[in-house]
Amino acid sequence: MLPYYLLRMWRRGGYKSGFSQRFGAVNLPPKNPAKKRVWLQAVSVGEMQAISPLLQALKARGDVEVYLTTTTSTGHKIALDRYGEKSGLTIGTGYFPLDWWAFSARAWWRARPDLVILMEGERWPEHIAQARRRGVPVLAVNARLSDRSYSRMKAWRAVAMPLMQRGITRVLACSEIDAERFRELGFTAEQVTVTGNIKWDVTIPLMREEERVSLRAEIGLGANANELILLGSSTWPGEEDALLEALRAIRAAGIAARLLLVPRHMERRGEVEALLQKQTTPDREDTAPTWHFRSRGAAPGVVDIAVGDTTGELRKFTQLADLVFVGKSLPPHTEGQTPVEAAALGRAILFGPGMGNFREIARRLTDAGAAKVVHNREELCVTAARILGDADARAKMMTASTECYRGNQGAVARTLEIIEKTLG
């Protein structure tokens, strides 16, 4: 599989830095005998943001040092920017080693952790085996099993589960559904605890009004607050096209609105631009809409569509939105991206039926009236136009978002309690 991964790394870029770490080269200070060392592995942007309160709490103990690793260049950049050594939250950040005996053993020999924390869907067999050989406890924190992972684990249960059960000390499931799946796969009741989803505990710094106005103008959406903004949050192939169609439907309904697209992967900017070049406006078939890519600097003027193709700005972009569509959720996509940040910022939310990775969160948001499910692009167009055209309905959804977000917090405290008992 190496040629495939080398191609992916070349396309995404940013992998040259720290490349030797993938082969077990770990550069950490000598272990402090007065402190416990925790090796924390997280991958996605959402996971990196969610671990902030955990890192803050471990730092406050005074007797814990954290080595933070990730597998993607995007995650690595966020880890360096937010949790680098200067922050005091970690003793080092790096890339997770390739999960093969020689590389994993080399990294373990240098890191020497007293506790391993694996976030969400991270389950690396050799890494877990190294922990078991050394008698080091492993906590699966915010643990979840997507539909695809669950079916794969069931198919290969005879091979995978003996290693997982003997290596993973505790599973801290983010929902009762996930907990039940872990139990069905063979984890004992004592191993599995429902702590809730720590992403509900995320705290997002709010921009001042002048900062929001400035950002709107900078990315090309203008400073007119009467023009509404539809945000495509972490979109995947096919969803940008659906959102462009939704923008046409919204404007055809007489609603002044602009579109902010934030693709999940920055390297798709060429694909997104090719799609934009094929578009026409709703009133003139011979006129293309205007657009601007954030990575190209400040917009020269107001455009119809802004593309946020940069890293780490989605939280800011969400604060500009009046309605947020959560990506990777329209067919054929089935897993979904996190809607929690949109809820934390009190936004009206739409997503498709494919929210497998956030099934419980999506259910709570829809039950609260904060979000609506759109099953296809036609429903997306109709529902987006209806919500943006009804200020009262939109305000109710926004209030429900805030209340749902606040009512589901507390997972971090429950998770920390078990981490501290394990360290003790």
Side-chain angles (χ1 to χ4, degrees):
M1 295 183 70
L2 185 59
Y4 166 73
Y5 280 105
L6 287 174
L7 178 62
R8 279 188 64 183
M9 292 163 74
W10 175 76
R11 284 178 174 172
R12 287 197 175 187
Y15 279 86
K16 291 182 180 179
S17 173
F19 191 72
S20 63
Q21 294 169 359
R22 298 182 181 276
F23 301 95
V26 174
N27 183 23
L28 290 175
K31 193 169 179 180
N32 186 338
K35 293 187 176 184
K36 298 289 184 68
R37 178 170 289 184
V38 175
W39 183 345
L40 196 162
Q41 163 67 3
V43 176
S44 69
V45 173
E47 289 173 22
M48 279 294 171
Q49 293 167 340
I51 63 174
S52 179
L54 293 179
L55 292 175
Q56 296 282 357
L58 291 174
K59 178 186 176 182
R61 280 177 55 109
D63 62 346
V64 174
E65 55 186 23
V66 178
Y67 174 44
L68 175 62
T69 57
T70 185
T71 55
T72 67
S73 56
T74 304
H76 189 251
K77 183 179 185 302
I78 293 175
L80 283 174
D81 292 346
R82 297 189 180 188
Y83 312 125
E85 293 180 58
K86 292 182 179 178
S87 70
L89 297 173
T90 68
I91 55 167
T93 57
Y95 282 108
F96 190 74
L98 293 167
D99 202 52
W100 182 59
W101 174 81
F103 306 142
S104 185
R106 183 187 183 198
W108 268 84
W109 181 78
R110 297 189 178 193
R112 301 179 184 275
D114 300 293
L115 171 66
V116 166
I117 295 177
L118 298 174
M119 291 298 297
E120 299 202 7
E122 294 295 282
R123 287 175 284 273
W124 297 97
E126 184 57 41
H127 188 54
I128 294 170
Q130 292 287 339
R132 187 181 70 246
R133 293 180 193 124
R134 292 165 170 78
V136 174
V138 177
L139 296 182
V141 169
N142 221 45
R144 59 177 172 80
L145 277 170
S146 66
D147 295 340
R148 184 171 65 173
S149 295
Y150 179 51
S151 62
R152 286 178 176 177
M153 292 284 277
K154 284 200 299 184
W156 294 92
R157 175 160 40 188
V159 177
M161 286 314 298
L163 172 65
M164 298 297 173
Q165 287 170 282
R166 292 199 304 269
I168 296 179
T169 312
R170 295 283 298 273
V171 175
L172 311 188
C174 63
S175 75
E176 185 55 51
I177 293 174
D178 293 286
E180 185 57 33
R181 287 183 169 184
F182 281 110
R183 295 186 195 106
E184 287 178 9
L185 288 172
F187 284 94
T188 65
E190 292 73 22
Q191 283 180 288
V192 182
T193 304
V194 180
T195 52
N197 199 315
I198 66 173
K199 289 183 176 178
W200 284 114
D201 290 67
V202 66
T203 300
I204 302 176
L206 298 180
M207 293 192 296
R208 300 188 304 274
E209 178 60 26
E210 56 267 30
E211 290 177 316
R212 288 196 293 271
V213 171
S214 175
L215 181 58
R216 276 184 66 133
E218 192 174 328
I219 63 177
L221 295 178
N224 185 355
N226 293 323
E227 291 183 330
L228 304 174
I229 294 178
L230 170 63
L231 169 65
S233 178
S234 296
T235 54
W236 284 64
E239 293 177 330
E240 293 91 4
D241 191 25
L243 286 161
L244 290 166
E245 191 174 326
L247 178 64
R248 289 193 292 271
I250 292 164
R251 288 185 166 183
I255 302 166
R258 300 186 186 277
L259 176 62
L260 174 53
L261 288 175
V262 184
R264 177 65 179 85
H265 297 116
M266 294 179 294
E267 66 270 20
R268 291 186 54 240
R269 60 173 62 91
E271 175 188 335
V272 174
E273 186 163 22
L275 176 65
L276 292 172
Q277 290 170 345
K278 299 176 183 177
Q279 303 303 307
T280 59
T281 57
D283 52 341
R284 290 189 56 187
E285 294 295 321
D286 60 340
T287 304
T290 55
W291 66 83
H292 176 72
F293 283 73
R294 170 68 162 164
S295 62
R296 297 172 186 172
V302 179
V303 296
D304 299 301
I305 303 149
V307 182
D309 58 332
T310 50
T311 300
E313 291 195 292
L314 182 56
R315 289 181 170 186
K316 291 183 179 179
F317 295 148
T318 304
Q319 295 182 53
L320 305 181
D322 297 283
L323 177 62
V324 177
F325 169 77
V326 179
K328 205 180 181 181
S329 61
L330 277 183
H333 307 296
T334 60
E335 296 177 324
Q337 299 290 160
T338 176
V340 171
E341 293 181 359
L345 292 166
R347 268 32 188 187
I349 304 168
L350 298 177
F351 39 68
M355 292 292 287
N357 284 348
F358 302 93
R359 183 184 291 103
E360 181 63 16
I361 291 175
R363 183 191 65 79
R364 295 192 181 201
L365 287 169
T366 52
D367 287 351
K372 295 186 182 299
V373 180
V374 289
H375 294 86
N376 49 51
R377 63 173 57 198
E378 291 76 18
E379 279 192 32
L380 172 61
C381 293
V382 172
T383 307
R386 185 175 69 247
I387 293 173
L388 288 177
D390 188 337
D392 291 339
R394 193 168 65 253
K396 289 179 181 178
M397 291 181 70
M398 294 170 75
T399 300
S401 272
T402 301
E403 292 176 352
C404 185
Y405 161 69
R406 291 175 178 169
N408 283 284
Q409 294 182 316
V412 166
R414 292 187 287 271
T415 299
L416 281 168
E417 183 180 354
I418 295 175
I419 290 175
E420 290 180 356
K421 285 181 180 178
T422 307
L423 284 170

